[in-house]
Amino acid sequence: SPSLRAAVMAAGPPPPLEPSPLPVFSEEGFGDKFLRKTRENPLVPLGCLCTVGILTYGLISFKRGNTRHSQLMMRARILAQGFTFAALLGGMVVTAMKSKK
């Protein structure tokens, strides 16, 4: 009914003439993002460093002809990669749980 609409419009404040400004987000650089992500899940960079260290040591052993030690390091590298992957998945689960709350 027209009289009801007029009463509702008269009761409320008039709509704003200018749209409200959108929030402005600062651009996050690579270094800032890396530090934030490292603070959120420090096990992932730690796992990456361990993987690279073990891989490097295994390649040095291989180059020196110590095949037994090289094979051991390659197996250790697989374990370090598994740890890194598990840390990455764990961090994703924790982040998803936080966003649901």
Side-chain angles (χ1 to χ4, degrees), residues 22-100:
L22 294 173
V24 177
F25 297 104
S26 63
E27 279 295 317
E28 186 178 35
F30 175 78
D32 295 333
K33 186 174 182 178
F34 180 78
L35 289 175
R36 180 175 55 84
K37 293 286 188 180
T38 299
R39 276 188 236 108
E40 287 175 6
N41 193 356
L43 295 178
V44 173
L46 181 68
C48 290
L49 286 174
C50 287
T51 301
V52 169
I54 292 169
L55 175 64
T56 303
Y57 192 57
L59 289 173
I60 290 169
S61 295
F62 180 74
K63 188 174 181 181
R64 290 182 179 165
N66 191 349
T67 54
R68 181 163 169 74
H69 199 257
S70 175
Q71 283 294 318
L72 185 65
M73 289 296 104
M74 289 305 117
R75 290 183 186 133
R77 176 188 58 87
I78 298 296
L79 291 175
Q81 280 180 288
F83 170 80
T84 305
F85 186 70
L88 187 63
L89 283 179
M92 288 170 57
V93 168
V94 169
T95 302
M97 296 296 240
K98 283 182 183 176
S99 67
K100 279 187 178 183

